[in-house]
């Protein structure tokens, strides 16, 4: 039995067991750098090999997804569901449809989800899934046929008390509806097997907005904790999907000034700030027309920086809401030079390891994704509660609950985030998330 764990030795073993899974290695190192010192002082976790057990998913399913495109070609994609850890509740976490999807990315996301879901204090385990299918440029019918085929494989692995997926990149209301319709058709049952559903068939108010709103709430709490007001602060937001758009919506309600949004074609920059009216136009453009910013109508209120990210623009707060590793070392250097005071992650693991290192060495207040973007999964859990009770709560009630959950996550981070003059939110979130899962795993014995 080891007396002490060492991060490098632990990572050597993990890399040997999971060759080539770079994103997964990165996520585990990021979390365990702060958890290992804690575990070394708590021998019960060490003896029970909790860290080794936590990094091995409970179960992974990989399957073929065949579908027919509009030109009658047969297309083949790969589908996945990684059921990471159900110690504290049914597996819960999104489905991602994007060409970059592979096992490494899903394992990193599932691992992060374990800590995030624990932090919400709600009874939800962790999973993640998806496919390398690219919904971009596909017709509605093609997306429907793909979703039906994907669910035909997935349905035997999910259930209201087993595993309840939701959306993520490339999986929004349209995809969730097709997936739910197919599940109902195959099983002849109307079951709460997905969240993010339409309001007509068991969806929850505020679920769509929850991740973005939650991120803005968390940033506000973190700033308040350090006597800073978010009002009039200039914000850089990346992405133009579900998380980014609703993060901007809440930031505007909180009277912050949002300078940017971005997508895979580049950055849209409004030097005087994006107004509520502009945001409505952008919503229509991204969610209805599903077009890229490179074709956005020219207007003197905006500049478009092709193939550029927002991070070189002068501002006060950064809220990355697009994808993993979107902030590299040079981007972080630019932000530090420009005097950014806070960074709050809407996306999962948006900073590369090098960028995170620089960030953690700086004075910038840093809210990691597992804390700052937990609002989405929290309201998903509230959707499950409403489905069980067969009732719906009002938008006001749900927003109040969301705000309280984000405040509670913030308090847990402060409590476990060291006693320096500035809270270490990374340490706080990792340790608070870890304790609940580890205690449940210990209680179950050797399983
Ligand atoms: P969406 O698919 O709705 O939006 C993603 C946005 O990011 C799009 O605007 C997309 O551009 C842009 N994007 C994706 N990849 C890149 C890239 N490589 N470079 C530049 N831009 C890129 O996804 P979500 O908003 O749901 O998710 C965004 C992030 O938030 C992800 O990291 C996700 O895991 C995380 N998250 C999501 C939650 C949710 O509830 N949806 C919950 C918690 C975390 P384009 O428009 O050109 O495709």
């Amino acid at each position: 039995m080891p007396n002490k764990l060492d991060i490098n030795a632990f990572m050597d073993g993990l890399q040997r067991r999971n060759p080539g899974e770079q994103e997964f290695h990165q996520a585990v190192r990021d979390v365990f750098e702060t958890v290992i010192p804690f575990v070394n002082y708590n021998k019960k976790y060490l003896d029970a090999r909790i860290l080794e057990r936590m990094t091995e998913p409970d179960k992974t399913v990989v399957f073929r997804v065949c579908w027919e495109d509009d030109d009658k070609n047969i297309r083949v994609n790969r589908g996945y569901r990684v059921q990471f850890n159900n110690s504290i509740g049914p597996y819960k976490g999104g489905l991602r449809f994007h060409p970059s999807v592979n096992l490494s990315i899903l394992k990193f996301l599932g691992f992060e989800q374990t800590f995030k879901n624990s932090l919400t204090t709600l009874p939800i385990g962790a999973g993640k899934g998806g496919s390398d299918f690219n919904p971009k440029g596909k017709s509605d019918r093609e997306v429907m046929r793909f979703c039906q085929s994907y669910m035909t494989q997935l349905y035997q692995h999910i259930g209201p008390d087993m595993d309840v997926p939701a959306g993520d990149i490339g999986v929004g209301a349209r995809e969730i509806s097709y997936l739910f319709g197919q599940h109902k058709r195959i099983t002849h049952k109307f079951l709460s097997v997905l969240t993010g559903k339409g309001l007509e068939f068991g969806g929850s108010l505020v679920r769509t907005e929850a991740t973005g709103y939650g991120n803005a709430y968390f940033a506000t709490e973190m700033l308040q904790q350090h006597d800073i007001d978010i009002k009039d602060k200039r914000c850089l937001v990346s992405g133009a999907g579900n998380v980014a758009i609703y993060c901007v919506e809440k930031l505007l309600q909180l009277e912050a000034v949002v300078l940017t949004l971005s997508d895979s074609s580049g950055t849209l920059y409004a030097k005087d700030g994006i107004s509520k009216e502009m945001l409505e136009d952008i919503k229509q453009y991204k969610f209805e027309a599903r077009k890229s910013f490179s074709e956005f109508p020219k207007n003197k209120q905006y500049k478009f920086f092709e193939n550029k990210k927002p991070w070189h623009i002068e501002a006060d707060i950064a809220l990355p809401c697009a994808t993993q590793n979107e902030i590299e070392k040079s981007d972080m250097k630019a932000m530090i030079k420009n005097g950014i005071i806070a960074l709050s992650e809407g996306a999962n693991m948006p900073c590369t390891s090098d960028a995170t290192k620089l960030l953690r060495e700086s004075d910038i207040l840093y809210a990691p994704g597992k804390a700052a973007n937990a609002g989405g999964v929290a309201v998903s859990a509230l959707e499950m509660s409403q489905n069980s009770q067969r009732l719906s709560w009002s938008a006001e009630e749900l927003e109040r609950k969301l705000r309280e959950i984000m405040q509670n996550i913030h308090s847990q981070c402060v409590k476990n985030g060291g006693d320096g003059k500035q809270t270490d939110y990374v340490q706080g979130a990792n340790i608070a998330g870890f304790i609940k899962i580890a205690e449940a795993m210990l209680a179950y014995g050797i399983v």
Side-chain angles (χ1 to χ4, degrees):
M1 216 58 80
N3 268 334
K4 267 192 186 326
L5 278 178
D6 164 75
I7 183 73
N8 291 323
F10 184 87
M11 288 308 301
D12 283 349
L14 184 104
Q15 284 164 13
R16 234 186 352 264
R17 290 193 300 280
N18 304 277
E21 296 182 352
Q22 229 176 321
E23 294 82 2
F24 181 50
H25 304 163
Q26 182 184 343
V28 173
R29 182 181 277 279
D30 280 358
V31 174
F32 282 1
E33 263 171 354
T34 52
V35 169
I36 283 182
F38 176 76
V39 167
N40 282 339
Y41 280 105
N42 290 276
K43 203 163 172 316
K44 59 179 179 176
Y45 301 134
L46 212 55
D47 291 348
R49 293 205 176 253
I50 291 292
L51 299 194
E52 287 83 347
R53 287 156 65 183
M54 263 191 184
T55 44
E56 200 59 47
D58 291 352
K59 185 161 106 178
T60 301
V61 284
V62 183
F63 45 87
R64 182 178 66 234
V65 186
C66 266
W67 56 283
E68 196 174 56
D69 69 20
D70 289 344
D71 298 325
K72 306 249 178 286
N73 297 306
I74 295 172
R75 309 284 287 263
V76 184
N77 285 96
R78 191 170 295 166
Y80 304 85
R81 185 71 182 163
V82 181
Q83 297 179 329
F84 220 96
N85 191 310
N86 69 351
S87 298
I88 58 169
Y91 303 108
K92 183 95 203 80
L95 299 174
R96 178 177 291 192
F97 292 169
H98 192 270
S100 65
V101 164
N102 59 32
L103 212 46
S104 171
I105 288 189
L106 296 178
K107 280 167 73 176
F108 119 62
L109 290 165
F111 177 74
E112 279 279 307
Q113 194 88 42
T114 310
F115 292 78
K116 179 190 310 189
N117 293 5
S118 167
L119 274 175
T120 64
T121 70
L122 299 167
I124 38 177
K128 202 82 194 188
S131 172
D132 58 358
F133 170 74
N134 186 1
K136 235 185 237 175
K138 305 286 190 300
S139 70
D140 283 351
R141 285 295 170 91
E142 287 177 323
V143 172
M144 180 187 79
R145 287 194 290 272
F146 173 81
C147 288
Q148 291 178 339
S149 188
Y150 179 88
M151 182 52 84
T152 302
Q153 289 293 333
L154 184 71
Y155 87 97
Q156 45 193 322
H157 305 287
I158 61 174
D161 297 315
M162 192 196 301
D163 185 351
V164 186
D168 190 74
I169 292 180
V171 178
R174 173 182 64 170
E175 290 75 15
I176 292 288
S177 305
Y178 291 146
L179 291 164
F180 188 77
Q182 181 70 353
H183 187 274
K184 193 168 64 60
R185 177 160 81 161
I186 298 171
T187 60
H188 300 282
K189 286 182 183 146
F190 192 100
L191 295 173
S192 176
V193 286
L194 291 162
T195 55
K197 300 187 289 295
L199 293 178
E200 306 78 9
F201 49 94
S204 172
L205 289 165
V206 187
R207 171 59 190 95
T208 313
E209 298 86 349
T211 310
Y213 278 20
N215 188 25
Y217 283 144
F218 195 93
T220 309
E221 291 295 319
M222 178 169 74
L223 291 168
Q224 260 171 17
Q225 174 75 15
H226 296 83
D227 299 321
I228 304 168
D229 191 349
I230 197 160
K231 186 166 181 266
D232 297 330
K233 294 288 172 301
R234 297 161 305 160
C235 302
L236 303 177
V237 177
S238 64
N242 173 269
V243 179
I245 296 272
Y246 290 104
C247 182
V248 173
E249 187 164 282
K250 185 51 70 183
L251 288 169
L252 296 184
Q253 289 170 18
L254 294 166
E255 299 183 63
V257 180
V258 180
L259 301 181
T260 64
L261 277 163
S262 71
D263 68 11
S264 41
S265 70
T267 292
L268 200 64
Y269 170 55
K271 99 173 152 31
D272 298 322
I274 294 171
S275 67
K276 288 184 181 161
E277 296 69 37
M278 291 174 187
L279 185 65
E280 289 312 310
D281 288 348
I282 293 172
K283 265 190 203 170
Q284 206 281 331
Y285 187 78
K286 291 303 293 185
F287 293 159
E288 306 295 327
R290 296 178 189 275
K291 287 164 106 177
S292 98
F293 279 148
S294 57
E295 302 164 62
F296 198 68
K298 299 279 171 289
N299 181 324
K300 61 179 182 326
Q301 292 161 312
Y302 298 111
K303 268 188 186 163
F304 178 65
F305 299 120
E306 198 172 353
N307 292 326
K308 288 259 188 318
K309 297 184 275 188
W311 316 124
H312 61 289
I313 295 167
E314 245 183 72
D316 305 303
I317 303 173
L319 301 114
C321 296
T323 193
Q324 67 272 359
N325 292 330
E326 56 171 307
I327 298 181
E328 296 170 87
K329 192 175 177 181
S330 55
D331 301 319
M332 190 59 74
K333 276 189 177 160
M335 285 195 269
I336 292 171
K337 185 165 156 276
N338 286 341
I340 289 274
I341 55 171
L343 186 148
S344 191
E345 296 181 342
N348 286 308
M349 204 168 76
C351 302
T352 62
S353 295
D354 287 349
T356 306
K357 188 164 181 289
L358 272 186
L359 175 59
R360 279 175 60 64
E361 285 163 2
S362 77
D363 288 335
I364 296 175
L365 293 169
Y366 170 32
K370 64 174 75 59
N373 72 31
V377 76
V379 176
S380 272
L382 300 182
E383 182 174 330
M384 289 163 71
S385 304
Q386 294 171 83
N387 291 165
S388 302
Q389 297 177 59
R390 302 204 188 282
L391 48 76
S392 318
W393 297 327
S394 67
E396 293 72 28
E397 172 84 0
L398 284 154
E399 238 198 283
R400 187 180 56 72
K401 285 185 193 297
L402 170 63
R403 181 134 209 188
E404 280 171 11
I405 290 168
M406 298 315 294
Q407 285 168 336
N408 182 289
I409 296 174
H410 181 266
S411 305
Q412 293 181 69
C413 291
V414 172
K415 183 170 162 219
N416 293 283
D419 43 20
K421 78 172 179 7
Q422 199 166 291
T423 298
D424 183 344
Y425 286 87
V426 173
Q427 177 187 315
N430 289 343
I431 305 240
F434 171 80
I435 293 172
K436 188 172 169 195
I437 306 282
E439 286 298 322
M441 290 175 82
L442 281 183
Y444 296 137
I446 305 171
V447 289

